[in-house]
Amino acid sequence: AQRVTQPEKLLSVFKGAPVELKCNYSYSGSPELFWYVQYSRQRLQLLLRHISRESIKGFTADLNKGETSFHLKKPFAQEEDSAMYYCALHFNKFYFGSGTKLNVKP
Amino acid sequence: ETGVTQSPTHLIKTRGQQVTLRCSSQSGHNTVSWYQQALGQGPQFIFQYYREEENGRGNFPPRFSGLQFPNYSSELNVNALELDDSALYLCASSFDPTEYNEQFFGPGTRLTVL
């Protein structure tokens, strides 16, 4: 069963525009959710985790249990935000979504 | 503190052959997880080792096997290679298996099966 869904393969926005990367999950318990990022020619790395309720590089993500979503948001996109973003759920093991490529245009 | 390393970077094999991929975890990390990432997909969990014992497995057949050694190195072995095994293989290390500990990923090994 698909645990994590990222409906957009590619998202293009202009610099300074708001950005929202969508993530929906299927899990009936209390999920632990994460966002990972992979910049060009770099390795996959943790961006933020739900449990920390933190803002990293201006990004935030709110868990909405009713909509089973964990969308990643940033009010003003920067060119350096261009990367591949993966949403992940941990339930005994990590389940990753298929990823969304964010392209921030100048 | 050194990062996670993987070898080789690239590998080409033919169908039916066997392959061994290697990973060196970050010092002090007792947990290593292996993932398969097909083109255009997210990483898919293969299995995890914690203190040299398998600690969870994804939906992969038994021809995918692993080992973890006391020196923070580990191996992923794949027997009877199939064309669909062509993918990027990632290892990730963490201090322990709980989700609260950050996974640190290696750069991956690109396996091509012809």
Side-chain angles (χ1 to χ4, degrees):
Chain A
Q2 183 71 25
R3 298 273 187 179
V4 180
T5 303
Q6 293 180 251
E8 302 141 328
K9 283 198 174 296
L10 174 66
L11 184 64
S12 287
V13 301
F14 284 102
K15 176 183 172 182
V19 62
E20 180 180 69
L21 298 161
K22 291 184 168 53
C23 171
N24 289 92
Y25 65 90
S26 56
Y27 178 62
S28 57
S30 294
E32 294 301 333
L33 289 153
F34 304 78
W35 277 97
Y36 280 79
V37 62
Q38 186 167 25
Y39 301 103
S40 179
R41 288 184 290 279
Q42 293 188 27
R43 57 189 68 189
L44 197 59
Q45 59 186 285
L46 177 67
L47 179 62
L48 57 80
R49 65 189 92 187
H50 147 250
I51 194 170
S52 300
R53 305 195 192 289
E54 58 204 343
S55 173
I56 302 293
K57 298 184 179 182
F59 283 97
T60 59
D62 292 321
L63 176 62
N64 185 323
K65 290 188 179 181
E67 296 182 357
T68 59
S69 69
F70 188 59
H71 302 330
L72 183 68
K73 300 177 184 179
K74 185 170 182 177
F76 308 104
Q78 302 299 314
E79 289 181 70
E80 56 265 30
D81 296 328
S82 294
M84 198 74 190
Y85 291 81
Y86 295 94
C87 181
L89 177 150
H90 186 274
F91 170 60
N92 293 329
K93 60 187 180 186
F94 274 94
Y95 298 86
F96 283 84
S98 55
T100 297
K101 184 174 182 179
L102 175 64
N103 180 34
V104 181
K105 297 176 283 188
Chain B
E1 183 176 273
T2 59
V4 179
T5 60
Q6 291 186 244
S7 63
T9 306
H10 297 89
L11 200 52
I12 299 175
K13 291 284 189 178
T14 56
R15 195 169 47 183
Q17 284 189 310
Q18 178 267 342
V19 69
T20 297
L21 309 182
R22 293 181 172 83
C23 172
S24 181
S25 298
Q26 212 160 295
S27 181
H29 283 185
N30 296 309
T31 305
V32 64
S33 301
W34 285 90
Y35 295 87
Q36 181 193 67
Q37 186 173 18
L39 202 60
Q41 299 297 317
Q44 188 173 359
F45 178 78
I46 302 175
F47 45 57
Q48 182 185 80
Y49 279 78
Y50 174 57
R51 293 186 173 177
E52 301 159 52
E53 298 284 334
E54 189 176 289
N55 185 49
R57 190 177 182 91
N59 294 325
F60 281 82
R63 60 189 185 84
F64 285 77
S65 63
L67 286 171
Q68 185 186 27
F69 304 102
N71 65 350
Y72 304 115
S73 67
S74 58
E75 292 180 353
L76 163 65
N77 299 287
V78 187
N79 294 321
L81 283 166
E82 300 177 0
L83 298 179
D84 285 349
D85 296 334
S86 295
L88 181 69
Y89 288 86
L90 299 168
C91 73
S93 75
S94 57
F95 180 70
D96 69 35
T98 68
E99 66 272 20
Y100 305 107
N101 284 284
E102 181 175 349
Q103 294 187 99
F104 292 85
F105 281 84
T109 293
R110 174 75 62 188
L111 173 64
T112 302
V113 182
L114 303 175

